[in-house]
Every structure is written in C-alpha cells, then in structure tokens.
Amino acid sequence: MTALAVFSRSSRRSGRSSKSARGAEIRLEHVSKRYSGSKAAAVSDLSLTIEAGEFCVLVGPSGCGKTTTLRMINRLTALDSGEIMIDGRSTLMTTVTELRRGIGYVIQEGGLFPHMTVAGNIGTVPRLLGWSRGDVKKRVAELLELAGLDLSLAERYPAELSGGQRQRVGLARALAADPPLLLMDEPFNALDPVVRERLQDELLRLHRELAKTIVFVTHDVDEAIKLGNRIAILRQGGVLAQYDTPDSILARPANEFVREFVGENRALRRLALRRLDQIDLAPAVKAAAGLPTVSSSATVREAVSLMIETETKALSVVDENGEACGSIRFDDAARLLR
Ligand SMILES: Nc1ncnc2c1ncn2[C@@H]1O[C@H](COP(=O)(O)OP(=O)(O)O)[C@@H](O)[C@H]1O
Ligand SMILES: [Mg+2]
C-alpha cells in the first residue's frame, strides 16, 4: 500500500481531514543577513521564488549561507533586510508560534529530544495543539507507518535507534501537524551511503504523495540533482549563482563557479535524470530483430551503458509486463541532450 493510502485511510479513521495540506509558496525578496561582529555578509540580496509543491534544494560549499537562509524562513534567525513571504504573507506578519506550526523542520540526526521516547517526540506538536490523547496516539501510529518505522519502536529512546531510524523519526515529527512546508538542513549527512540512498528515495516518494513544499539544504551536488525539481546554487556570502532545474544546470551552467561546483560528466548525469518511460521512444521493433532488451523504468544513461556493453546501437524497450513498448537508438539518446 502506498504511504498516501495509509495516510488518508488512517486520517479518516481518526476523524481528521482525509487530504493532507498542500504545499506553500515561498518568496524571498532581497533578503540579506550579516551576523553581528562579522564583516562579511552571510546572505546577500537573495531573491528566490519557490513554487507551491516544489522540491527546492539549496546547495553550495560550506559556509555559503544555506543554513542561515533556511533558518530565516522559520525565523530561527532574524533577517536584516528584505522580506520572506509564505503564500503571499510576510513571515513577520504572524507570531513565531503560528508561523512554525505551518513549517516542519528537520535537521541532522533528527534533532530529537533525547529524554523522550519516539512516540513522545513524534507527538510533541499535536500535544501542544491540545489534541486528545487518543488522537495523538493514532497520529503517532500513522506517522510511524508513513516514515517506514515499525510500531514497536514507539517506546524506544533516540539513543536506542540507528542513525537512519532517528532520521525517520525526525521526519515523522516534522510531518505531525501536516504542515504545508518542510525545511530540511543536511538531514542525511550522518548516514552511511546505503541508508542515505534509501531515505532519499523515500523522501522523493513522500514528496510525490503528500505534495508538500520542501526546501532541502545540502552541500552534495549529486544529492541536489537527485532530489530537487529546482536547485539554488549559492556561493560564498550567500550570493545566488544559479537557480534552475537540474537538467538546465547540467546543460548550461550559468558561470565558471557553477561549472566547477557541478563537476564532471554532465552529459551522462543528464541522461540519468530521465527514465525511458518519460521520453518519446521509437516504435517497438519485432522481437525477431534480436535486440537486447531494457526495462522502461531504466534511465537513458543505463540504456546507453547497456548499448556499449552489448555493442549494439539500439535496444528494445519492454514494459513491466515484459511486452515490447518501443525502442531506443544511440542517436536518440544523444539527441535528448540538445
Ligand atoms: N550564529 C552565527 N554567528 C556568527 N556567524 C555565523 C553564525 N552562523 C553562521 N555564521 C557565519 O555565516 C556564514 C554562513 O553560515 P551558514 O549559513 O551556517 O552556512 P552553510 O550552512 O552554508 O554552511 C558563515 O561564514 C558562518 O561562519
Ligand atoms: Mg549549514
């Protein structure tokens, strides 16, 4: 069952709205910040519009102002000048409490309260909102399921969990009051590569199913390209170097800084962004043609790799039932990059 099905079914059961809150639009307008005692700006005249439901990644080298930018959105850090609007309303027009009720915040290691159980951590906001004990309990159970955690973990303390589990609890806690916006600050950094990749995949799935707006900070450009619909690349001083889709950033780095930051193999990395079922394929060829087959869920990069391995210039593409649904030639892949 999908996470959304779980989510809506159990939401109905608990008598709450069966539809989760949609994403919010964030607009940063000429936002600047300089910490007192420091000469250089942490963020300089940053303007950025993040559309509702978007997965926006802020990426850049250490110290370039990513965390500061994120924390200005939920007012953990005060801005010096400019304005931040959420759904058209300045963040200064509401109380901090009301503002943060609509924003889930996830940091490395989940930022959990060590003296509280998993259930206690996840239920924090619903309890503050005055939900009944029964409703809080139900919500905790559905969030554990949503975050891919076993119900039996509810009474454990954070120290009794793996890093990946702690991060899942942090995400569940951030989603507890169903906020339209999630801010995530390098949440997966402390995890080993396998767990990290799994959590990235699950976050993508949650984003598709819950349609929240996510602003995700990382210094890892590959993580940014994998997760973001849109990527804001920042450079020292919180200066915006480029704001665009992953494909456009790889295809046309706006300047030398971006080109260098993004790194090598841009063409192959662009091909990895597209699955065969997302592109126009040439008509299916007869099985008798004897071409090697590739699944339509494979990326174009994987298809090209297979052509090189099998020394063929074309592949037959098959759908999940194993039926031929098209074909791809080497030239078609190259043409996608134009
Ligand atoms: N509380 C603070 N007081 C003074 N300077 C700070 C503070 N927090 C961050 N800075 C400085 O502001 C700049 C941006 O920091 P930060 O937003 O944490 O960058 P990033 O998250 O991209 O690594 C850095 O030069 C950092 O040293
Ligand atoms: Mg940071």
Side-chain angles (χ1 to χ4, degrees), residues 66-67 185-186 217:
K66 304 180 295 293
T67 294
D185 195 350
E186 311 228 21
V217 161

Side-chain angles (χ1 to χ4, degrees), residues 92-106:
L92 297 173
M93 296 296 285
T94 51
T95 63
V96 163
T97 316
E98 194 194 331
L99 175 73
R100 292 190 195 150
R101 200 172 289 159
I103 304 177
Y105 184 50
V106 185

Side-chain angles (χ1 to χ4, degrees), residues 35-36 38 41-42 60-69 185-186 217 236:
Y35 289 100
S36 59
S38 121
S62 175
C64 72
K66 304 180 295 293
T67 294
T68 302
T69 302
D185 195 350
E186 311 228 21
V217 161
Q236 232 35 255

Side-chain angles (χ1 to χ4, degrees), residues 244-316:
D244 217 324
T245 60
D247 188 63
S248 299
I249 285 174
L250 288 169
R252 292 174 296 278
N255 47 56
E256 208 38 49
F257 172 81
V258 173
R259 187 183 298 275
E260 206 157 284
F261 186 72
V262 166
E264 309 275 296
N265 297 323
R266 287 188 285 116
L268 284 173
R269 286 155 78 195
R270 284 179 68 200
L271 292 181
L273 289 174
R274 272 174 260 195
R275 289 196 320 265
L276 297 174
D277 56 17
Q278 294 170 323
I279 62 169
D280 290 330
L281 294 170
V285 284
K286 284 222 178 70
L291 291 177
T293 60
V294 62
S295 159
S296 60
S297 63
T299 66
V300 180
R301 180 180 177 152
E302 288 165 334
V304 166
S305 173
L306 185 61
M307 286 186 228
I308 294 168
E309 277 168 32
T310 57
E311 295 185 43
T312 48
K313 287 205 168 119
L315 300 171
S316 171

Side-chain angles (χ1 to χ4, degrees), residues 163-213:
Q165 287 169 332
R166 273 197 290 276
Q167 206 58 66
R168 288 171 191 272
V169 175
L171 183 61
R173 186 178 62 178
L175 288 169
D178 196 24
L181 169 61
L182 271 183
L183 305 180
M184 307 185 76
D185 195 350
E186 311 228 21
F188 302 150
N189 277 14
L191 305 175
D192 69 66
V194 175
V195 176
R196 182 173 185 161
E197 204 175 320
R198 192 175 313 141
L199 278 169
Q200 288 170 342
D201 291 338
E202 291 191 31
L203 183 61
L204 283 173
R205 173 181 59 85
L206 277 178
H207 177 249
R208 277 194 301 272
E209 292 176 356
L210 302 180
K212 308 284 178 201
T213 305

